[in-house]
Amino acid sequence: MMISLNFKKYKTEDFMDYYNLVKEDIHMKYITGKGMSKENAIKRFDFILDLGQHHDDIGYFQVRDAETNSIIGDSKLVYNKDDKSLFEIGYLLKEEYWRKGLGTKICAYLLALASTIDEKKDIIGIIHPENTASRRLLEKFGFKSIFKGDENGATIEKLILKRNGED
């Protein structure tokens, strides 16, 4: 069964949909290590809404099944917080949608969206080093690992897609 995806920027009324995704330990295993409390989810969602107000195509997006309109995940195209010269992409999917090729569709969408904003800006993906599925996905799109270790108390791996012609 092929699933077509729609991407919808978060709005205030989407909080419960967001919270239902991020409260689950299994969904957040490689992001924060465990599900978010409602209090933390509210803070994060306020940040997401604020970020989304500054640019039409930059921000966090619900990922929906186009046929049923059900929420299957979350994605982001943002400026990297440590280096604004880079885009950063990321996503999460509900467990029942894993291993169905949807990560590939999401990544392709985010990369195409990034190209409409600035086709030369490099793109970073930040993953947990044990998340081999996400690493393989990013590598499939040409990302190369540039850092693996601890940063701000979290174990991460950074992969970059160079688009400006420099190595």
Side-chain angles (χ1 to χ4, degrees), residues 27 48 57 151 161:
H27 300 156
I48 286 169
D57 296 321
E151 186 173 278
L161 178 63

Side-chain angles (χ1 to χ4, degrees), residues 37-52:
S37 68
K38 194 165 192 178
E39 181 182 326
N40 285 342
I42 289 168
K43 287 179 191 166
R44 183 73 183 162
F45 193 72
D46 287 345
F47 167 79
I48 286 169
L49 291 178
D50 183 60
L51 184 73

Side-chain angles (χ1 to χ4, degrees), residues 58-76:
I58 296 285
Y60 287 73
F61 305 87
Q62 290 181 343
V63 180
R64 293 176 170 263
D65 179 321
E67 191 173 310
T68 65
N69 202 34
S70 59
I71 295 159
I72 65 169
D74 171 270
S75 64
K76 69 176 178 180

Side-chain angles (χ1 to χ4, degrees), residues 83-116:
D83 183 351
K84 302 290 187 237
S85 73
L86 298 171
F87 285 132
E88 182 179 328
I89 63 170
Y91 74 96
L92 71 87
L93 285 168
K94 288 183 177 179
E95 183 181 16
E96 61 265 32
Y97 295 98
W98 294 356
R99 293 180 286 286
K100 298 184 184 306
L102 298 176
T104 299
K105 288 183 177 186
I106 292 168
C107 194
Y109 172 83
L110 294 172
L111 294 176
L113 183 59
S115 289
T116 66

Side-chain angles (χ1 to χ4, degrees), residues 63-163:
V63 180
R64 293 176 170 263
D65 179 321
E67 191 173 310
T68 65
N69 202 34
S70 59
I71 295 159
I72 65 169
D74 171 270
S75 64
K76 69 176 178 180
L77 172 65
V78 297
Y79 295 105
N80 178 263
K81 68 178 171 49
D82 297 323
D83 183 351
K84 302 290 187 237
S85 73
L86 298 171
F87 285 132
E88 182 179 328
I89 63 170
Y91 74 96
L92 71 87
L93 285 168
K94 288 183 177 179
E95 183 181 16
E96 61 265 32
Y97 295 98
W98 294 356
R99 293 180 286 286
K100 298 184 184 306
L102 298 176
T104 299
K105 288 183 177 186
I106 292 168
C107 194
Y109 172 83
L110 294 172
L111 294 176
L113 183 59
S115 289
T116 66
I117 301 165
D118 185 341
E119 63 188 18
K120 297 214 182 292
K121 190 181 286 282
D122 294 341
I123 304 172
I124 196 166
I126 302 172
I127 64 169
H128 190 285
E130 293 174 9
N131 190 343
T132 55
S134 286
R135 182 183 309 104
R136 280 195 307 268
L137 175 66
L138 291 171
E139 288 172 345
K140 181 165 81 170
F141 282 95
F143 284 74
K144 305 265 188 257
S145 182
I146 57 167
F147 174 82
K148 203 184 275 192
D150 288 341
E151 186 173 278
N152 301 324
T155 303
I156 63 166
E157 181 174 0
K158 294 181 183 181
L159 295 96
I160 194 162
L161 178 63
K162 292 281 196 175
R163 303 189 326 155

